[in-house]
Amino acid sequence: MEINFRTKEESKKLQEAEFLALSGAERVFAFFRLCYEMRDFPTQETSDKKDNFIIHFKNR
């Protein structure tokens, strides 16, 4: 395991470069993956919405 110490600016530049290296489709999937993972974060907003637009991805 390797531990690197970076400034916030260096870390942001590295993350941006890695993201921009992805193809367009990979960027979209990365965005959807992030949205899916955000569901686990706590929130104070309650919602009783039903019949939402849902995108299902099949594993390749």
Side-chain angles (χ1 to χ4, degrees), residues 8-48:
K8 185 175 181 178
E9 292 80 19
E10 290 172 335
S11 179
K12 283 183 141 184
K13 283 183 183 181
L14 182 62
Q15 287 177 347
E16 182 179 14
E18 289 174 352
F19 183 75
L20 293 176
L22 299 174
S23 70
E26 290 172 326
R27 290 181 196 174
V28 171
F29 280 115
F31 173 74
F32 287 141
R33 189 178 315 113
L34 176 64
C35 291
Y36 180 75
E37 291 171 359
M38 289 293 292
R39 78 188 194 299
D40 295 332
F41 283 83
T43 181
Q44 294 183 11
E45 182 178 328
T46 58
S47 177
D48 293 332

